[in-house]
Amino acid sequence: MPSLRDRFEQWCGRGPTVSSDAGGRVNLIGEHTDYHEGFVLPAAIDLRTTACAAPRPDGVLRIRSEAVRDEVQIDLGALAPRARTDWRSYVLGPSWALIGEGIALPGADILVDSQVPFGGGLSSSASVEVCLVALGARLAARELDPRTIARIARRAENEFCHVPCGAMDQMASACGREGHAILLDCRTMETRLVPMPADWAIVVADSGVRHSLAAGEYAKRQRECASGLGKLASRRPGIAAARDLTVDILASDGEALSEVERRRLRHVVAENERVWKAAAAMRGGELGAMGELLWASHRSLAADYEVSCAELDTLVEIAAGIPGIAGARLTGAGFGGNTLNLVRACDAQFAAAELADRYKAKTGRLSAVRVVIASRGVTVS
Ligand code: GLA
């Protein structure tokens, strides 16, 4: 396959002046906690989105996606959030968000390609947004730090694509560091790097399921939690987000909640605690302890937060029977996509092959199973 630069030249008849790349992400633990101002522990990965571009003098933005083999063209002045969200929204949103930040973008030809499986819970959308925000800023001769890139990329997702996501994906994609996970406090946006022990490996297994209802269910979880939180906050001042709840508060005031609200909030409280324990387990190289936290996270996501599906549960059950897999759980929003499996590095290839074989035997479905590596964040040159 020719390089992206060569493909750009073939497409435009001239070379690119700027390139960028940004990782997908795997979330080790801390699922459905970011929009509650809680804690998450993701890592950028070596499945990446890459882009290159050259400015054009006519104020036109022309973007070609190699992944969908299609292109979109628009006057910069006509950029506005669209009613329908599709691949065009994800490639146009970054330019709209940059302009919204007062950054004077020139017209440009932009070619973008991605290795991150679309809709697989590995942040294909955030990696595109982060990659294109970095690219656009450089075209506008502006230096933005990775956090600012992440903030603008999230703005594109929230306001242009109408997806009410939290801060995790864009932060991981932009701020990743090789060989590290990022412990992120989604209230203060403070980050701490947590080294990935050298003898641990991450295997992601794709359920092959892409649930179209995910977007609606995601917003529904936010509403359910907000409704429960409102009841608790009216009794106790100082509760601003589910992040402020504790096991004790849920135990003493829980009767004010509906059964669903109680389960949803119980997940958030327990998951936030697991993130801290997981960071400690990683720092201590305690694979067994980390694995237990992953299984517990999956159970909580499946039973209390109800964001799993039969295929993800099957993958996790299969993982539990494979020697060498210390822990597994769904990663990302859920309802389909990938599971994360934590293994000793020396067992990674065996575990990956077993997962694929056993999933096929049990469900008839093919699973793309990949060993992924904690990688750097966004780069632009
Ligand atoms: C999606 C969102 C994130 C986060 C996860 C669930 O990936 O984009 O902000 O909420 O789901 O943890």
Side-chain angles (χ1 to χ4, degrees), residues 25 27 30-35 165-169 218 332-333:
R25 69 98 189 88
N27 187 18
E31 216 65 86
H32 289 276
T33 49
D34 62 348
Y35 52 82
C165 68
M168 169 171 71
D169 301 348
Y218 187 88

Side-chain angles (χ1 to χ4, degrees), residues 250-333:
L250 286 185
S252 59
D253 293 6
E255 85 286 354
L257 303 175
S258 73
E259 194 263 333
V260 167
E261 291 163 352
R262 194 173 315 126
R263 280 192 286 121
R264 302 292 189 255
L265 293 172
R266 183 166 67 191
H267 164 74
V268 179
V269 171
E271 186 77 352
N272 275 326
E273 280 184 9
R274 280 189 285 268
V275 173
W276 283 96
K277 291 183 182 158
M282 269 183 89
R283 288 199 179 100
E286 297 159 38
L287 185 69
M290 181 76 174
E292 289 308 320
L293 293 163
L294 300 185
W295 302 122
S297 171
H298 187 80
R299 284 195 297 272
S300 175
L301 287 160
D304 278 357
Y305 220 68
E306 292 182 279
V307 291
S308 189
C309 63
E311 293 81 357
L312 287 170
D313 291 345
T314 299
L315 273 171
V316 170
E317 268 164 40
I318 290 172
I322 297 179
I325 297 187
R329 60 177 213 85
L330 70 84
T331 187

